[in-house]
Amino acid sequence: MTALEPRDADVSPRTGPPVVAESESAEKNEGVLGRSHRALSIGIVSVVLLIAFEATAVGTAMPVAARELHGIPLYAFAFSAYFTTSLFAMVLSGQWADRRGPLGPLAAGISSFAAGLLLSGTAGSMWMFIAGRAVQGLGGGLVIVALYVVIGRAYPERIRPAIMAAFAASWVIPSVVGPLASGTVTEHLGWRWVFVGIPVLIVFPLALALPAIRRMAAGPADGSTGSEPFDRRRIRLALGISVGAGLLQYAGQELNRYALLPAAAGVALLVPAVRGLLPPGTVRAARGLPAVVLLRGVAAGSFIAAESFVPLMLVTQRGLTPTMAGLSLAVGGATWALGSYVQSRPRLEEHREPLMVAGMVLVAVSIAAAPTVLIQGVPVWIVAVAWAFGCFGMGMVIASTSVLLLKLSAPEEAGANSAALQISDGLSNVLLLAGGGAAFAALGGGALGAAAHGAGAGVAVSHPGAFVAVFLPMAGVALAGAWVAARVRIP
């Protein structure tokens, strides 16, 4: 795991310890903001900050964008398109990073991410908007796996939990500022400016992170001057998993007998792809790495699928403005960071398994509590409280799965295993969003857009059962994640 960590220099009894030994010893005792890691840490955390601003700001603007583009029935697709294309990009990024270093996929990913934002921000139809989200997904998939490889190569194992905690902490400011800024911009300038304005944030991460990565984590994992060819079989499987997930999402949105054909094709593509790209035993939660990979998908999929519908529920059912709907989730960024900080404490390392079990229970309870605001007598701040506890649980679980993955991966496998972790994350998001979106549309959720648009802000509309059909099944999935968390212990 620490192949690139400096080795202690030989100490000669005749000459005493050389200066390089003292320097390397000092580096080993540094934290994430020590001299040797400072620029890299600030740079890659800034990249995560960019992704965090996108997630919080776009989530706030999405209900207005979907309504103005007459795309409420495709609401879930606008989220899952991101995850669908990211599935292919994750595998590509893992291969690219392992064979040629993480610098290339990181630079390409950030550029693609910005291009997707611009495409969505200038879209004239919902399908063009979804296409922009798909391009964003390509960029996001390239970036996230490359970042994991950077951490595995450039940081000693003892400080990896700290950099994961820093990633979580970088969501705090966007979680508070993002919804407020996005809501204000959406209400006064229009939702498009939320998308076209975010790419400005790309300049700083590129200027700071890329030179540090070139210095500390560039090149193939084995240090060879050449590079192995890409594994074409894995690339084909990655394309299959991405196309299959997209077909299932499309079939879930159509809800007619003609959708059976793309659904069957999607399953036919997904099954062999999942078997080939995820560690053996993942589906049955085999102890060790397979359970870690499965837990990541269960946790992220259930939580993100539920969270995607929270702003829409608050805007259409309780009449909140986009700003207030987004701010209802703002405190979650701080509690997520707190949960990640808790798991990073050295004295809690031996208790990581029960921490993750407790975290998944908190996630399940928070998701189940959210739709209580459909009852008009229940105050809307209940969502904020519930999501704060759920995000605390997610902070413990997500950071822990990242730490365990790197701990269980050899340096030359860090890219492939990181891709498997992110594939589990993204595929679960797509499938659960597809299921939730299908249930939402089947129970009349698609009518919400017209009703809300015609009624005006502040007027609640019907069909609350469409939201219940999303939240309660996701709570059940999260509860199953508590069982998976109990199996991550290394045999």
Side-chain angles (χ1 to χ4, degrees):
M1 288 302 300
T2 56
L4 299 184
E5 185 178 348
R7 296 179 181 178
D8 291 331
D10 293 333
V11 179
S12 169
R14 291 178 293 178
T15 61
V19 175
V20 67
E22 294 178 1
S23 174
E24 291 179 354
S25 177
E27 288 181 6
K28 286 185 177 182
N29 293 325
E30 288 180 350
V32 295
L33 292 179
R35 183 177 61 182
S36 59
H37 292 97
R38 185 180 301 126
L40 178 61
S41 297
I42 295 174
I44 62 176
V45 168
S46 297
V47 172
V48 177
L49 191 72
L50 166 67
I51 296 174
F53 265 113
E54 184 272 343
T56 55
V58 168
T60 302
M62 192 74 78
V64 177
R67 189 166 61 194
E68 290 190 6
L69 294 173
H70 308 290
I72 289 290
L74 299 173
Y75 185 79
F77 219 159
F79 287 96
S80 63
Y82 179 99
F83 300 112
T84 299
T85 54
S86 70
L87 293 170
F88 172 74
M90 288 167 188
V91 177
L92 178 62
S93 183
Q95 300 249 328
W96 194 348
D98 281 344
R99 287 160 174 76
R100 301 177 186 175
L103 186 63
L106 188 60
I110 293 176
S111 301
S112 178
F113 193 80
L117 285 168
L118 293 175
L119 182 59
S120 289
T122 57
S125 67
M126 192 62 178
W127 281 113
M128 185 61 68
F129 180 87
I130 291 171
R133 294 287 292 163
V135 174
Q136 284 179 249
L138 286 172
L142 290 170
V143 167
I144 192 64
V145 173
L147 286 179
Y148 274 77
V149 175
V150 169
I151 293 172
R153 293 189 183 189
Y155 291 85
E157 185 174 341
R158 63 177 181 80
I159 62 173
R160 286 176 195 156
I163 192 64
M164 293 300 179
F167 277 11
S170 67
W171 281 77
V172 175
I173 294 177
S175 295
V176 176
V177 177
L180 178 61
S182 175
T184 301
V185 170
T186 298
E187 292 172 27
H188 293 90
L189 298 177
W191 62 267
R192 296 181 185 276
W193 286 99
V194 174
F195 290 84
V196 300
I198 293 177
V200 176
L201 298 172
I202 291 174
V203 176
F204 178 71
L206 280 176
L208 192 59
L210 298 186
I213 294 171
R214 183 180 293 110
R215 185 177 66 255
M216 302 180 68
D222 59 7
S224 61
T225 56
S227 59
E228 297 181 8
F230 284 16
D231 185 339
R232 294 184 178 181
R233 175 179 174 274
R234 289 185 65 85
I235 297 297
R236 288 195 299 269
L237 291 175
L239 184 60
I241 203 172
S242 187
V243 173
L247 289 172
L248 281 179
Q249 175 68 38
Y250 175 79
Q253 292 292 146
E254 289 301 306
L255 294 177
N256 56 48
R257 66 178 183 273
Y258 300 108
L260 293 177
L261 183 59
V267 171
L269 288 170
L270 275 178
V271 171
V274 168
R275 291 174 61 89
L277 293 174
L278 299 185
T282 297
V283 176
R284 56 184 174 84
R287 291 191 181 276
L289 183 62
V292 172
V293 172
L294 179 61
L295 176 61
R296 180 59 164 262
V298 170
S302 59
F303 192 78
I304 296 301
E307 187 178 58
S308 299
F309 283 86
V310 170
L312 185 65
M313 178 175 66
L314 294 177
V315 169
T316 60
Q317 296 293 300
R318 297 301 297 264
L320 268 65
T321 64
T323 303
M324 295 306 298
L327 284 176
S328 67
L329 306 178
V331 71
T335 57
W336 190 307
L338 179 60
S340 185
Y341 171 80
V342 167
Q343 67 79 37
S344 72
R345 297 299 85 197
R347 65 178 179 274
L348 294 178
E349 177 63 33
E350 61 184 83
H351 304 294
R352 191 172 294 280
E353 179 185 317
L355 281 177
M356 290 190 294
V357 173
M360 289 309 304
V361 171
L362 285 175
V363 171
V365 172
S366 69
I367 295 174
T372 60
V373 297
L374 294 169
I375 303 172
Q376 292 299 312
V378 175
V380 293
W381 54 259
I382 288 295
V383 171
V385 173
W387 233 245
F389 281 100
C391 286
F392 179 79
M394 286 292 288
M396 292 193 295
V397 172
I398 297 300
S400 290
T401 58
S402 300
V403 170
L404 287 172
L405 177 104
L406 293 174
K407 184 176 182 179
L408 296 171
S409 301
E412 66 275 10
E413 298 174 344
N417 288 343
S418 296
L421 188 76
Q422 298 303 324
I423 287 170
S424 178
D425 186 321
L427 180 60
S428 180
N429 283 327
V430 171
L431 295 181
L432 292 179
L433 275 167
F440 181 75
L443 293 178
L448 292 172
H453 187 70
V459 180
V461 294
S462 59
H463 309 297
F467 291 99
V468 175
V470 173
F471 285 97
L472 292 189
M474 298 309 155
V477 173
L479 192 59
W483 172 80
V484 178
R487 296 184 56 80
V488 299
R489 181 177 298 168
I490 303 172

